[in-house]
Amino acid sequence: LPRSSHQCVTTKSYMYLFGGEFTSKDHSKFRHYGDTWRLDLSTYVWEQLMFSGPGAAPSARSGHRMVAYKNVVVLFGGFYDTGKTT
C-alpha cells in the first residue's frame, strides 16, 4: 500500500524510514504504519527492522519528525490512532 507522512533520515551508509499513513482515495480506509525499514545506500537493498520487547519500538504514527545524531536516530511527535471516536 502507498504511504504518506512518513519520515526518513540518512547516515553514512543507510537511510531509515519509519511510520506514515495510508488513506484511500475516497477516505473510506485509513491506517497508521508502525514499521521501520533500512535501505543500504551501497546496495540499494531494503531490510525491515524488527524490534522486540515492551517499548522497543515507537507506536505507529504519521506526521512525526526524525533526526540522526551521531549513532542515534531520534523520533519525536506525530499523530497516532487511539482507537477512540468522538
Side-chain angles (χ1 to χ4, degrees):
L1 295 173
R3 75 175 66 206
S4 63
S5 300
H6 53 284
Q7 283 286 294
C8 295
V9 295
T10 57
T11 62
K12 279 186 172 182
S13 304
Y14 299 102
M15 179 176 76
Y16 295 88
L17 177 147
F18 175 78
E21 64 186 47
F22 165 77
T23 305
S24 62
K25 289 182 182 184
D26 64 359
H27 300 280
S28 65
K29 296 178 184 169
F30 175 86
R31 69 170 285 201
H32 276 115
Y33 292 107
D35 51 348
T36 303
W37 293 83
R38 179 172 66 185
L39 174 66
D40 185 315
L41 297 175
S42 63
T43 62
Y44 297 104
V45 172
W46 285 98
E47 173 187 11
Q48 185 172 10
L49 302 179
M50 306 303 284
F51 303 98
S52 61
S59 60
R61 67 186 70 203
S62 63
H64 51 288
R65 300 295 177 254
M66 289 189 344
V67 63
Y69 179 72
K70 297 188 179 183
N71 293 324
V72 177
V73 173
V74 179
L75 180 147
F76 54 98
F79 305 96
Y80 64 96
D81 185 5
T82 62
K84 297 179 183 178
T85 58
T86 57

